Amino acid sequence: MGERKAILKLDGEEEIKPCTECTYLGTKTDQSGGNTIEIKHRISQRRKAINALISNWWHKNNTKNRKLYIYQTIIQSILVYDAEVWKIPTTEINKILSTEMDVLRRPAK
C-alpha cells in the first residue's frame, strides 16, 4: 500500500493488483494509511450493537446506572477498540464524540 503501482505476477501469468483498502487483524485501513474507514466502520458497528440492545435499552426496569454500565462495557469498547494507535483528524474526533453523545442521551430519557 503505497504510491508505487507495481503488479505482482504468480507463476508468470496470474496478476495480483494492489488494493486501495484492506482489513488486517480486524482493523480496516486504506491506501493513505489513515483511519477514516476504520472509524466509520466502528460507528456502524456501534449502531448495530445499539439496535441489538434496543429492547434492553428502553426497558422500564433498567436504571440509568445499568444503562451506563451497558454503554461502558459493550458500546464504548466496540467504538474505541484499538483506538490508541489511530491517527485521528479533528473531523473524525468530532464524529466519535457526537456518536458517544447520541448513545449517552438515550439513558437520560
Side-chain angles (χ1 to χ4, degrees):
M1 293 184 13
E3 295 299 319
R4 205 166 38 144
K5 301 280 183 178
I7 297 176
L8 299 174
K9 290 188 177 186
L10 294 177
D11 298 328
E13 294 179 16
E14 186 180 353
E15 292 183 357
I16 300 175
K17 296 179 182 176
C19 62
T20 57
E21 60 184 58
C22 69
T23 302
Y24 180 71
L25 296 177
T27 302
K28 292 181 181 277
T29 186
D30 62 1
Q31 196 169 9
S32 67
N35 296 101
T36 305
I37 293 172
E38 178 63 17
I39 292 169
K40 288 178 183 177
H41 175 69
R42 294 285 173 192
I43 290 172
S44 71
Q45 291 297 98
R46 188 233 22 127
R47 286 186 185 125
K48 288 178 184 178
I50 286 290
N51 288 337
L53 294 169
I54 203 78
S55 62
N56 282 332
W57 201 262
W58 291 107
H59 197 274
K60 62 183 175 183
N61 292 336
N62 278 346
T63 63
K64 289 181 185 179
N65 287 336
R66 184 175 290 162
K67 291 176 184 180
L68 185 60
Y69 181 75
I70 290 170
Y71 165 74
Q72 290 172 338
T73 56
I74 298 172
I75 308 302
Q76 193 175 36
S77 62
I78 290 171
L79 186 60
V80 295
Y81 173 76
D82 203 27
E84 64 270 5
V85 296
W86 289 352
K87 179 179 74 172
I88 307 175
T90 306
T91 56
E92 300 302 322
I93 291 173
N94 292 337
K95 287 180 185 177
I96 292 171
L97 291 176
S98 67
T99 300
E100 275 192 316
M101 290 309 299
D102 177 47
V103 173
L104 291 173
R105 276 189 215 114
R106 294 173 192 251
K109 293 182 181 181

